[in-house]
């Protein structure tokens, strides 16, 4: 299948180009980052070098590990142009000017290896214009690969191929971007703005214009254009602040020039003097002095403010007050769109037209509705694509609204008047084509989704918090289904049952789910409730039951592979520490955070992490190094910000796998489990040499130093003292080895000591109320 991409070049070290280069490096691929040589520069690579320095300090982090940063090689397009001959894919990410791009393409064509892929990250210039006048050899290898910012975190990649582009080149780039970079590929036609930005810009402009028309507060507008429709809670004004007000005129201008006069996009264009003034005075959003929202730091205060769209003056930010959304309203989208209140009229004016415009894009900009839905879910973080939203509203109902407002009804929407855009037929999800016929949704090779398995089967085991599914080939999958996948008695119970069933009838167990987070840890609400009514015996029972289930998992006679994505905290992290192997999504954020809550890891996390460090052949030996390292990690509630970083902290082993594409995680975890089946032997129990009371004194002294510098509270000292006691092995003088079983006992005792304190219960209550830790 075409060629393999082993080295990449990115030309243009601006925000997007540098971000793309960093993410290629995250995939373990060497990448050449080039830019121009500034006049009179002593360092001819200064632009690329400076970009790499900024990447190292970026927040959120551009690199998944410091090791990845070493794969980016800085250079310039004068001295290093010949190095393009060693690259398999050359990505152009320079300024959006056709003349500059074409001049660069001539240099690339002269230097590159024939057959290497060349692509542009443009979001505004048609492919036909980019390649006009260039040789056939260049056009054959050229395509558009439109990344979204920030490239590490945004999963969407829009790809546009020209009529002469070699299909093998498209396949090679698509495969690499999918498997190595973790992107979902959406194939677009060579139309202005492609899919996501064309529809997204239309939506944003409508939403801003109608907020001015109806005299809405920005808070109220964002409340309507947020959670009711499954949009990010930033809403529209918060989103524009995030991306930058100054970017919007450029995108609007390019679409205005490129789209035909009859396109409904033009009706959304309007000059807003307030927005023009904001841009001119530096109020460009979060990157500027503020935007529609700002944080006023005058007189030493931190006052959240919002702009008044009528007067242009800032005022204190207020809680949204939209009658249609109060008391649980807004869940029925048709009722919201049909309301005569201000919120309903705003929702109808924006969303009815936005959804109609989305329908117009098929087949003009996209071959099918799936591409449009994927583009908006992944490019704009919509929970539901526009066609999924239409199904929630009802196509016939939307048609009624459009006709009442005098909006033309697109033909594809008329097809769906009596039928949904998506349906399930014989256990397979199907979509409505623009010819009125249904087609199966076909997953790429190597993609296995639990959502698809659920359409065709029933769970082997199930309760209110978890379910067990047969995923084929003798492998079963334990899925958490509780709120936020918080661990509770139901999950522990089903884990124990799943281990027994797997031993009796199956080859291996995978622990995986398709929620936003693998698990946020133990259910703090239940723990707080039990403690408040004095049911400490129930809490201690759950701790003991959890320890036993985790130990049974660790020493099971078959492989158990955990497959996390998103947060894997506390008890979720302990699942990983007790698994035979882990296949982690690259964007897994892993840590034992219990000390931040005021307690300790008590399901074996301290013991397992001690074993990891103590048995590392490259780590110093003796009774103190491993406990000190674990104390440092656990007492500070350190969270790895990627799966790669989790290996450095030993939450993952070096041998554990990392999957870049979230949709491939279950298939990869299943394959890993099957690879371990033949000859599988559970690990042998490990004995630990721990320092005893003298080691605890050393750890206590370290905390005392932090306390004197104001970096540890009074209760932090208490929690750290109990942790130090566990990691040092208790009060006995440990010249002889300490069993893991004894350390587990100390974990239970330490946890129960802390959960009984008022300070810990206050911390838990504060976290449940605010979502933030209490520092007292």
């Amino acid at each position: 299948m075409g060629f393999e991409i082993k080295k990449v070049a990115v030309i243009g070290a601006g925000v997007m180009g540098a971000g793309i280069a960093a993410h290629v490096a995250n995939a373990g691929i060497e990448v050449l980052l080039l830019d121009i040589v500034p006049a009179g520069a002593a360092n001819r690579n200064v632009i690329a070098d400076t970009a790499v320095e900024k990447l190292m300090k970026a927040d959120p982090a551009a690199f998944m590990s410091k090791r990845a940063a070493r794969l980016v090689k800085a250079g310039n397009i004068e001295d290093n142009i010949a190095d393009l001959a060693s690259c398999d894919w050359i990505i152009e990410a320079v300024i959006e000017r056709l003349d500059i791009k074409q001049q660069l393409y001539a240099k690339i064509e002269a230097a590159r290896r024939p057959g290497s892929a060349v692509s542009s990250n443009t979001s505004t210039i048609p492919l036909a214009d980019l390649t006009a006048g260039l040789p056939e050899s260049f056009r054959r290898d050229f395509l558009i690969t439109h990344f979204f910012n920030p490239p590490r975190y945004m999963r969407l990649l829009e790809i546009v191929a020209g009529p002469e582009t070699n299909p093998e080149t498209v396949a090679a780039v698509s495969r690499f971007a999918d498997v190595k970079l973790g992107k979902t590929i959406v194939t677009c036609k060579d139309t202005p703005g492609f899919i996501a930005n064309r529809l997204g810009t239309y939506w944003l402009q409508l939403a801003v214009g109608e907020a001015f028309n109806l005299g809405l507060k920005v808070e109220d507008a964002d409340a309507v254009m947020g959670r009711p429709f499954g949009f990010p809670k930033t809403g529209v004004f918060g989103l524009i602040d995030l991306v930058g007000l100054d970017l919007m005129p450029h995108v609007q201008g390019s679409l205005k020039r490129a789209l035909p006069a009859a396109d409904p996009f033009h009706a959304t264009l309007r000059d807003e003097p307030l927005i023009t003034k904001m841009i001119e005075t530096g109020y460009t959003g979060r990157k500027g002095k503020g935007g529609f929202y700002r944080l006023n730091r005058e007189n030493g205060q931190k006052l959240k403010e919002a702009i008044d769209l009528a007067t242009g003056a800032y005022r204190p930010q207020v809680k949204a007050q939209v009658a249609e959304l109060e008391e649980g309203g807004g869940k029925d989208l048709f009722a919201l769109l049909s309301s005569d209140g201000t919120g309903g009229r705003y929702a109808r004016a924006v969303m009815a037209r936005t959804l109609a415009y989305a329908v117009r894009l098929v087949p003009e900009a996209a071959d099918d509705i799936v591409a449009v839905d994927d583009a908006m879910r992944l490019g704009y973080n919509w929970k539901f694509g526009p066609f999924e939203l239409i199904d929630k509203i009802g196509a016939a109902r939307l048609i009624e609204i459009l006709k009442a407002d005098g909006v033309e009804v697109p033909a594809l929407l008329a097809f769906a008047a009596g039928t949904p855009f998506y349906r399930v037929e014989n256990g397979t999800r199907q979509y409505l084509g623009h010819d009125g016929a249904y087609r199966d949704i076909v997953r790429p090779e190597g993609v296995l989704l639990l959502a698809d398995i659920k359409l065709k089967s029933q769970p082997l085991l199930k309760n209110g918090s978890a379910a067990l599914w047969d995923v084929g080939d003798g492998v079963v999958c334990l899925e958490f289904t509780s709120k936020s996948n918080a661990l509770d008695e139901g999950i522990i119970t089903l884990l124990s049952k799943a281990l027994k069933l797997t031993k009796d009838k199956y080859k291996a167990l995978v622990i995986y789910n398709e929620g936003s987070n693998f698990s946020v840890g133990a259910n703090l609400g239940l723990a707080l409730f039990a403690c408040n009514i004095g049911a400490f015996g129930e809490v201690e029972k759950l701790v003991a039951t959890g320890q036993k289930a985790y130990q049974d998992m660790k020493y099971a006679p078959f492989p158990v592979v955990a497959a996390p994505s998103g947060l894997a905290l506390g008890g979720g992290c302990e699942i990983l520490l007790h698994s035979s192997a882990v296949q982690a999504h690259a964007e897994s954020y892993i840590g034992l955070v219990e000390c931040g809550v005021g307690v300790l890891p008590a399901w074996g996390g301290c013991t397992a992490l001690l074993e990891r460090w103590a048995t590392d052949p490259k780590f110093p030996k003796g009774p103190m190094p491993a406990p000190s390292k674990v104390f440092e990690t656990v007492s500070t509630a350190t969270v790895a910000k990627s799966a790669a970083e989790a290996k450095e902290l030993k939450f993952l082993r070096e041998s554990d796998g990392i999957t870049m594409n979230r949709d491939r995680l279950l298939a990869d975890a299943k394959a890993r489990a099957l690879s371990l089946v033949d000859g599988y032997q559970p690990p042998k129990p490990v004995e630990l040499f721990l320092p005893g009371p003298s080691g605890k004194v050393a750890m206590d002294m370290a905390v005392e130093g932090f306390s004197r510098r104001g970096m540890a509270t009074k209760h932090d000292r208490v929690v750290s003292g109990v942790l130090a006691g566990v990691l040092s092995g208790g009060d006995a003088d440990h010249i002889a080895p300490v069993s893991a079983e004894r350390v587990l006992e100390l974990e239970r005792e330490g946890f129960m000591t802390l959960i009984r304190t008022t300070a810990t219960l206050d911390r838990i209550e504060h976290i449940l109320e605010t979502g933030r830790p209490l520092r007292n």
Side-chain angles (χ1 to χ4, degrees):
M1 185 190 70
F3 57 90
E4 185 178 355
I5 295 174
K6 297 181 179 179
K7 185 177 179 181
V8 175
V10 178
I11 305 178
V15 172
M16 281 303 299
I20 293 168
H23 194 50
V24 172
N26 287 334
I29 303 296
E30 183 181 348
V31 56
L32 184 65
L33 180 61
L34 307 180
D35 211 301
I36 62 171
V37 179
N43 174 10
R44 293 173 64 81
N45 300 338
V46 64
I47 295 179
D49 280 338
T50 301
V52 174
E53 290 173 10
K54 288 181 178 178
L55 289 170
M56 294 290 289
K57 301 173 184 176
D59 186 18
F63 290 114
M64 291 180 177
S65 72
K66 293 179 181 177
R67 285 180 287 187
R70 296 196 288 266
L71 291 171
V72 181
K73 312 299 180 185
N76 67 77
I77 57 175
E78 292 182 19
D79 303 329
N80 303 104
I81 195 73
D83 294 339
L84 296 182
S86 65
C87 298
D88 306 298
W89 180 16
I90 302 161
I91 304 169
E92 170 269 303
V94 303
I95 189 171
E96 291 289 84
R97 274 183 47 184
L98 182 59
D99 58 335
I100 291 176
K101 290 179 185 292
Q102 288 205 322
Q103 290 169 18
L104 176 61
Y105 295 160
K107 294 179 180 179
I108 292 173
E109 177 66 359
R112 74 185 181 100
R113 185 181 69 252
S116 58
V118 183
S119 71
S120 174
N121 186 56
T122 186
S123 62
T124 61
I125 304 175
L127 184 146
D129 293 347
L130 292 171
T131 57
L134 291 167
E136 187 272 338
S137 59
F138 185 86
R139 298 195 303 272
R140 185 179 60 243
D141 296 330
F142 185 83
L143 64 160
I144 289 173
T145 52
H146 179 216
F147 290 81
F148 280 67
N149 193 35
R152 169 181 166 181
Y153 300 96
M154 299 300 288
R155 290 177 58 192
L156 175 62
L157 180 67
E158 293 181 320
I159 287 187
V160 181
E164 298 175 78
T165 308
N166 185 348
E168 289 191 357
T169 301
V170 178
V173 170
S174 297
R175 178 73 181 174
F176 178 87
D178 173 347
V179 177
K180 295 292 187 180
L181 303 184
K183 300 303 176 186
T184 295
I185 309 301
V186 171
T187 302
C188 307
K189 297 186 178 180
D190 192 18
T191 55
F194 313 132
I195 299 172
N197 277 348
R198 181 170 172 187
L199 180 56
T201 303
Y202 181 88
W203 167 61
L204 290 173
Q205 290 190 169
L206 263 182
V208 170
E210 291 300 331
F212 275 97
N213 288 344
L214 293 168
L216 285 177
K217 293 185 178 72
V218 291
E219 297 97 330
D220 292 350
D222 283 346
V224 176
M225 284 297 119
R227 288 177 174 168
F229 291 95
F231 302 152
K233 63 181 181 180
T234 56
V236 290
F237 290 101
L239 176 59
I240 294 171
D241 276 356
L242 186 63
V243 300
L245 277 72
D246 54 334
L247 179 64
M248 297 304 294
H250 295 290
V251 179
Q252 293 164 359
S254 65
L255 289 172
K256 179 182 178 181
R257 291 187 295 272
L259 289 169
D263 193 283
F265 175 86
H266 297 287
T268 69
L269 294 172
R270 55 189 284 175
D271 291 325
E272 291 295 350
L274 172 60
I275 295 177
T276 301
K277 181 181 177 182
M278 291 171 70
I279 295 172
E280 290 174 347
T281 54
Y283 285 89
T284 54
R286 295 189 187 183
K287 65 183 179 183
K289 295 187 289 186
F292 295 108
Y293 299 94
R294 74 173 184 182
L295 188 63
N296 188 339
R297 290 187 170 88
E298 292 179 4
N299 302 319
Q301 64 181 347
K302 288 185 178 181
L303 180 63
K304 291 181 179 180
E305 296 182 332
I307 204 164
D308 187 306
L309 297 179
T311 66
Y314 282 97
R315 52 163 176 77
Q317 187 175 333
V318 297
K319 184 178 180 181
Q321 292 183 317
V322 181
E324 293 90 334
L325 305 184
E326 293 177 0
E327 298 180 1
K331 294 181 180 179
D332 184 335
L333 293 184
F334 179 66
L336 175 60
L337 294 169
S338 302
S339 170
D340 288 330
T342 304
R345 286 186 286 130
Y346 180 61
R348 184 165 60 252
V350 177
M351 290 309 300
R353 286 173 169 79
T354 296
L355 296 176
Y357 194 70
V359 178
R360 288 177 58 100
L361 298 184
V362 182
E364 180 187 338
D367 284 328
D368 54 57
I369 68 172
V370 178
V372 177
D373 278 353
D374 282 347
M376 295 310 293
R377 281 190 288 100
L378 300 172
Y380 277 75
N381 285 326
W382 287 14
K383 184 176 182 180
F384 309 104
F387 292 92
E388 292 171 318
L389 284 173
I390 294 173
D391 278 352
K392 287 181 174 294
I393 296 163
R397 289 172 164 180
L398 179 60
I399 290 170
E400 289 177 18
I401 293 171
L402 293 173
K403 287 181 176 178
D405 289 348
V407 179
E408 180 183 352
V409 177
L412 181 55
L413 183 59
F415 275 141
T419 189
F421 278 108
Y422 292 99
R423 72 177 187 184
V424 176
E425 191 75 11
N426 297 322
T428 299
R429 199 172 187 222
Q430 298 181 327
Y431 68 92
L432 184 67
H434 57 82
D435 59 356
Y438 280 99
R439 293 173 176 80
D440 291 348
I441 293 177
V442 180
R443 305 295 184 194
E445 183 182 354
V447 170
L448 177 65
L449 299 181
L450 200 54
D452 291 342
I453 291 170
K454 290 179 181 181
L455 296 177
K456 300 179 180 181
S457 62
Q458 295 296 318
L460 302 170
L461 300 170
K462 189 178 190 305
N463 62 24
S465 300
L468 186 71
W469 301 88
D470 186 335
V471 294
D473 301 311
V475 179
V476 288
C477 174
L478 178 63
E479 174 198 24
F480 304 153
T481 59
S482 58
K483 184 177 180 181
S484 301
N485 292 326
L487 299 166
D488 57 17
E489 185 179 5
I491 288 177
I492 298 302
T493 298
L494 208 72
L495 170 59
S496 296
K497 291 182 177 179
L499 291 170
K500 184 178 185 306
L501 184 64
T502 307
K503 179 182 177 182
D504 292 342
K505 296 185 177 181
Y506 294 92
K507 297 177 181 178
L509 171 66
V510 168
I511 303 177
Y512 161 91
N513 64 73
E514 288 167 2
S516 300
N517 297 304
F518 179 74
S519 176
V520 297
N523 188 322
L524 294 178
L526 291 178
L528 181 64
F529 175 76
C531 293
N532 282 339
I533 63 172
F536 292 105
E538 291 301 311
V539 177
E540 189 164 14
K541 178 182 174 184
L542 180 60
V543 173
T545 304
Q547 278 195 354
K548 182 180 186 309
Y550 280 41
Q551 292 299 301
D552 289 346
M553 175 173 63
K554 179 175 182 177
Y555 296 110
F558 51 83
V560 178
V561 175
S565 179
L567 297 176
L569 304 179
C573 175
E574 288 172 303
I575 289 277
L576 313 185
L577 288 168
H578 289 81
S579 298
S580 313
V582 176
Q583 185 71 34
H585 181 226
E587 297 298 346
S588 294
Y589 314 115
I590 303 168
L592 295 171
V593 297
E594 288 87 346
C595 285
V597 181
V599 292
L600 305 183
W603 281 335
C606 297
T607 310
L609 202 56
L610 270 174
E611 290 181 4
R612 292 272 175 97
W613 284 103
T615 57
D616 182 352
K618 298 180 181 178
F619 197 66
K621 300 304 174 187
M624 198 62 196
S628 296
K629 188 66 179 179
V630 176
F631 182 78
E632 175 190 339
T633 302
V634 177
S635 66
T636 56
T638 300
V639 175
K641 296 186 174 74
S642 69
E645 190 174 306
K647 289 191 174 187
E648 298 169 9
L649 293 167
K650 296 205 185 307
F651 294 134
L652 300 182
R653 310 171 186 85
E654 277 300 323
S655 59
D656 286 332
I658 296 177
T659 296
M660 294 293 281
N661 191 319
R662 178 68 177 79
D663 290 343
R664 296 181 176 276
L665 183 57
L666 178 55
D668 288 353
K670 176 183 170 181
R672 182 67 188 279
L674 288 171
S675 73
L676 297 173
V677 168
D678 288 345
Y680 179 75
Q681 293 292 325
K684 301 278 193 243
V686 173
E687 291 187 318
L688 300 163
F689 285 88
L690 301 178
S694 60
K696 182 180 185 307
V697 170
M699 288 182 254
D700 286 342
M701 289 176 63
V703 176
E704 183 64 31
F706 281 109
S707 181
R708 284 197 297 268
R709 296 197 298 273
M711 300 170 66
T713 68
K714 182 179 179 180
H715 194 55
D716 288 336
R717 292 170 62 186
V718 173
V719 175
S720 296
V722 176
L723 175 64
V726 172
L727 297 177
S728 61
D731 295 331
D733 185 10
H734 296 298
I735 299 174
V738 182
S739 69
E741 184 178 356
R742 173 57 183 154
V743 183
L744 286 171
E745 289 176 1
L746 293 171
E747 284 191 40
R748 287 199 304 271
E749 294 168 5
F751 179 90
M752 292 310 301
T753 296
L754 291 168
I755 199 69
R756 293 174 183 270
T757 65
T758 301
T760 288
L761 298 182
D762 286 346
R763 284 193 179 191
I764 293 174
E765 187 169 9
H766 183 80
I767 288 172
L768 292 173
E769 288 179 353
T770 68
R772 299 187 302 275
L774 175 65
R775 307 306 299 170
N776 60 4

